[in-house]
Amino acid sequence: MPTKPAPPSPACTCGRLRRATRALTQLYDDLMEPCGLRVTQFSLLRTLSTQGRVRMSELARTLLLDRTALSRTLDPLAVRGLVAVAAGQDARTREVSLTHAGARALRSAMPHWHRAQSQVAARIGADKLDALIATLDEVEQLHPDPGGVAR
């Protein structure tokens, strides 16, 4: 006789993950406050530092953001001169790149980010943190590809 699969947890996975994300984001933002960047902005600058000039749609896909959320993060960085947003190769696309000021801001933010990383590792423990990161990699794979089909 086949066994029934275990019922899912009564806790909402998405709700709990979003709550945990808000707590973690606040910790990082508090520790990064002296450099004037929020962790979401830092992440975007860091991505641009490795990818170079990139189409806005590709950047949104890389960060798993919709274009509206990406714009909300990009706009203050562009106003501060940390990123440049320019017309792409055709009139329908826009491309984003890290400016020299953005690279300096990223370098000055690194010690604050490292301090946040160290605090998280110390509080959670190395083994749990490694397991969490591995699990998060799996969770990210649940996101549908641009064609709308789960990977």
Side-chain angles (χ1 to χ4, degrees):
M1 185 175 211
T3 60
K4 289 176 138 179
S9 169
C12 174
T13 305
C14 185
R16 289 301 307 269
L17 188 54
R18 289 174 61 84
R19 196 166 90 195
T21 299
R22 286 190 298 272
L24 193 59
T25 297
Q26 191 59 57
L27 173 71
Y28 274 74
D29 284 349
D30 289 349
L31 292 172
M32 293 183 71
E33 187 175 21
C35 72
L37 290 175
R38 299 178 63 82
V39 70
T40 51
Q41 295 170 327
F42 172 84
S43 177
L44 193 148
L45 294 178
R46 192 167 174 197
T47 299
L48 287 174
S49 76
T50 60
Q51 289 194 348
R53 188 179 179 113
V54 63
R55 285 185 326 203
M56 206 156 159
S57 58
E58 182 59 33
L59 183 58
R61 195 170 16 262
T62 298
L63 297 172
L64 296 180
L65 292 172
D66 62 52
R67 297 230 358 192
T68 302
L70 177 58
S71 291
R72 281 195 308 268
T73 304
L74 270 177
D75 290 347
L77 296 174
V79 167
R80 290 174 56 188
L82 304 181
V83 299
V85 181
Q89 293 183 344
D90 67 51
R92 297 172 299 174
T93 62
R94 292 172 51 198
E95 295 181 338
V96 184
S97 60
L98 188 66
T99 65
H100 292 295
R104 282 192 305 275
L106 184 59
R107 280 192 302 275
S108 74
M110 288 302 287
H112 302 284
W113 178 79
H114 280 294
R115 189 173 64 179
Q117 289 280 95
S118 295
Q119 279 195 21
V120 169
R123 289 173 78 175
I124 293 178
D127 290 342
K128 283 184 182 178
L129 187 58
D130 288 345
L132 175 61
I133 290 170
T135 301
L136 292 173
D137 284 342
E138 292 176 28
V139 171
E140 286 179 18
Q141 297 304 310
L142 297 174
H143 184 269
D145 69 14
V149 179
R151 291 184 233 173

